[in-house]
Amino acid sequence: MTTPAGSADSKLPQTGPSAFDPHRPPSPELLGDCVHCGFCLPTCPTYQLWGEEMDSPRGRIYLMDMASKGEIGLDGALHQHIDACLGCMACVTSCPSGVQYDRLLESVRPQLERNVPRTRSDRLFRGAIFALFPYRRRLRAAAVPGALYQRLRRVPAVARLAGKLPGRLGAMESLLPPVRLREAFARLPERIPAVGARRRRVALLTGCVQDVFFHSVNEATARVLAAEGCEVLVPRGQRCCGALELHAGREPDALGRARRTIALFGELDVDAVVTNVAGCGSSMKEYGHLLSDDPEWAERAAAFSAKVRDVSEVLAELEPAAPRHPIRARVVYHDACHLGHAQGVRVQPRAVLRTIPELELLEVAEPELCCGSAGIYNLVAPEAAAELGARKAANIRAARPDLVVTANPGCLLQIRRHLGSPEAGTAGGTALPLMHPVQLLDASIRGVPASLG
């Protein structure tokens, strides 16, 4: 079993001034938990792609340890290999020693963002992403030319030109969600009453990209929760929860958004704050930890995080009340990393789907490997993301499903790109319907075709 050179010294005393600044550096105790056993290697996407030790979790931890002892700086190898990490947290699931790689990555990425300058082009590209995606109004404004472009893309000459876009521009173009203007500008009512006796009172986070480009998922979520006896509150004034910025190391912006989310939802008398986006849910469940050193917000953040639930968790806790109509289909459920690995929610979505009569739930090979979406990873590292996307698509096709469900919009777009879909216009293979699991359940409850759910 290979071990990084010098790793036997990883628990020796400090040898020099730490390269990290004093604000939340990686904990020496957490760094010392890694025994470099290698159980993480088969589940790490970048190690699987390149077989490079420093692009494995234990290799990255070794680099963090070296930087904490002043043996290397933050630029160079550490920055390169941390940037290459998808943050999928499959290593956390597979580690027998309980190494908290999620906490380590969460502390190192902000350090790099603060202290290591990016190239001008990288800085501008990332700045453009974060000037758009966390803002619902800007996304709605962008939806209008987006809808026009997607009509133009049906012209063969335009499609050929689009296919020639290089690198990151090509990735952005190929990952554009299908734009439906009626959906982009739709709003849920502020209160959806429970059908029959009320069993829960919940608040729904509608999200940013989710609400504009996947509003039908929010509608299905509200209908299903109501059908199962939940009164659903949809507070006005919702903003981004900060998930994308948190996962990218943009800590100040992420914490500001966390405080605003807590302030808005914390005033509501609800049993749970429900999310249907894996990335949002994982971040919101971490607010208590992220704000633990803020005396004004620590207690409120911990109370808020304790109430956050993925929609599948809420539904799995409730005995089904609404009748289900049969759906005769072979269905692949893809575990979004921030739901399966980061939140540990794997059993509940499958249990909820199995309440649908005649539905055959399929498993795929390498389910622990990320599809390559990973927040903004498929935009900033398109080549690696494309390899992972193609690998995931091949595993899905091998299961011969009729449709695919996944609980994260980024995963849906990434898999859609590589599988091919009617809207995507790609050559990824035979088109397969893709949807959120709650949409499939909604179709069963309403008795409508799953492809239209």
Side-chain angles (χ1 to χ4, degrees):
M1 189 174 296
T2 59
T3 305
S7 66
D9 297 329
S10 64
K11 297 187 182 182
L12 290 179
Q14 185 85 21
T15 58
S18 173
F20 296 111
D21 68 38
H23 180 65
R24 288 191 169 187
S27 160
E29 291 76 17
L30 295 186
L31 290 170
D33 285 341
C34 180
V35 298
H36 307 288
C37 65
F39 277 93
C40 57
L41 301 184
T43 67
C44 176
T46 50
Y47 186 81
Q48 288 298 302
L49 288 181
W50 306 316
E52 167 62 45
E53 181 64 43
M54 294 307 165
D55 280 316
S56 73
R58 69 180 185 183
R60 292 182 175 110
I61 290 173
Y62 180 61
L63 291 172
M64 295 176 195
D65 197 37
M66 291 179 70
S68 72
K69 295 173 179 176
E71 296 173 6
I72 61 171
L74 299 186
D75 55 356
L78 179 66
H79 193 206
Q80 172 193 340
H81 295 294
I82 293 297
D83 256 11
C85 177
L86 288 90
C88 69
M89 305 309 165
C91 55
V92 176
T93 300
S94 63
C95 180
S97 302
V99 175
Q100 298 180 58
Y101 182 82
D102 49 347
R103 294 278 189 259
L104 292 170
L105 187 65
E106 178 188 289
S107 63
V108 170
R109 279 203 157 136
Q111 291 271 344
L112 298 177
E113 287 300 305
R114 287 194 297 270
N115 298 308
V116 182
R118 294 189 176 276
T119 64
R120 184 172 183 272
S121 61
D122 193 22
R123 190 171 64 252
L124 290 174
F125 185 79
R126 289 170 183 264
I129 289 173
F130 290 107
L132 176 63
F133 288 112
Y135 299 95
R136 210 173 311 189
R137 289 182 181 177
R138 297 177 192 179
L139 287 170
R140 288 195 171 104
V144 178
L148 176 61
Y149 169 75
Q150 288 185 339
R151 290 193 177 192
L152 288 173
R153 201 187 187 285
R154 297 171 189 167
V155 178
V158 176
R160 283 195 298 271
L161 285 173
K164 293 178 181 179
L165 288 172
R168 290 176 168 182
L169 288 177
M172 288 191 75
E173 195 280 338
S174 66
L175 290 163
L176 282 174
V179 181
R180 303 176 182 90
L181 292 182
R182 183 180 299 177
E183 184 172 335
F185 288 88
R187 301 284 197 282
L188 286 175
E190 291 186 64
R191 177 183 170 273
I192 298 99
V195 176
R198 189 180 81 181
R199 298 197 283 171
R200 295 279 194 284
R201 192 168 194 252
V202 303
L204 176 64
L205 180 90
T206 52
C208 305
V209 171
Q210 184 84 330
D211 199 37
V212 177
F213 297 112
F214 299 95
H215 183 77
S216 58
V217 177
N218 285 339
E219 291 179 331
T221 301
R223 282 195 298 264
V224 167
L225 287 169
E228 295 291 28
C230 297
E231 178 186 6
V232 183
L233 305 184
V234 186
R236 292 285 182 258
Q238 293 189 45
R239 298 186 186 181
C240 176
C241 68
L244 275 182
E245 289 159 327
L246 177 65
H247 299 151
R250 298 167 72 98
E251 186 179 61
D253 291 340
L255 294 183
R257 296 188 190 282
R259 293 183 183 101
R260 285 193 291 271
T261 303
I262 294 166
L264 178 65
F265 283 87
E267 300 298 318
L268 303 175
D269 179 20
V270 293
D271 301 302
V273 176
V274 176
T275 176
N276 54 23
V277 178
C280 297
S282 69
S283 296
M284 292 160 65
K285 288 180 178 181
E286 288 293 302
Y287 283 176
H289 171 72
L290 294 170
L291 293 167
S292 60
D293 57 358
D294 185 330
E296 183 181 349
W297 287 90
E299 187 175 340
R300 295 173 69 184
F304 174 86
S305 290
K307 283 190 172 185
V308 176
R309 295 286 187 278
D310 182 75
V311 61
S312 66
E313 293 181 280
V314 174
L315 294 172
E317 291 171 0
L318 295 169
E319 185 70 23
R324 271 73 161 155
H325 296 81
I327 294 180
R328 299 176 183 87
R330 291 167 54 85
V331 177
V332 161
Y333 172 73
H334 163 71
D335 284 287
C337 292
H338 278 98
L339 189 60
H341 296 310
Q343 299 183 53
V345 176
R346 297 183 190 83
V347 173
Q348 297 92 328
R350 289 171 169 83
V352 170
L353 289 170
R354 288 191 177 104
T355 67
I356 300 173
E358 300 186 30
L359 184 142
E360 183 181 356
L361 199 57
L362 308 173
E363 298 294 336
V364 298
E366 300 181 317
E368 72 284 348
L369 277 187
C370 183
C371 67
S373 173
I376 65 169
Y377 192 87
N378 53 0
L379 299 177
V380 298
E383 292 83 7
E387 287 188 59
L388 292 168
R391 186 166 175 166
K392 181 64 68 176
N395 286 332
I396 289 173
R397 284 194 208 99
R400 298 182 295 108
D402 298 312
L403 58 91
V404 182
V405 293
T406 185
N408 201 58
C411 298
L412 191 149
L413 292 175
Q414 173 76 351
I415 294 172
R416 167 183 168 270
R417 174 192 178 188
H418 292 281
L419 277 178
S421 77
E423 299 96 342
T426 61
T430 304
L432 282 171
L434 290 101
M435 62 183 65
H436 193 288
V438 80
Q439 290 179 293
L440 192 58
L441 181 59
D442 180 51
S444 175
I445 291 173
R446 293 163 63 204
V448 300
S451 59
L452 303 175

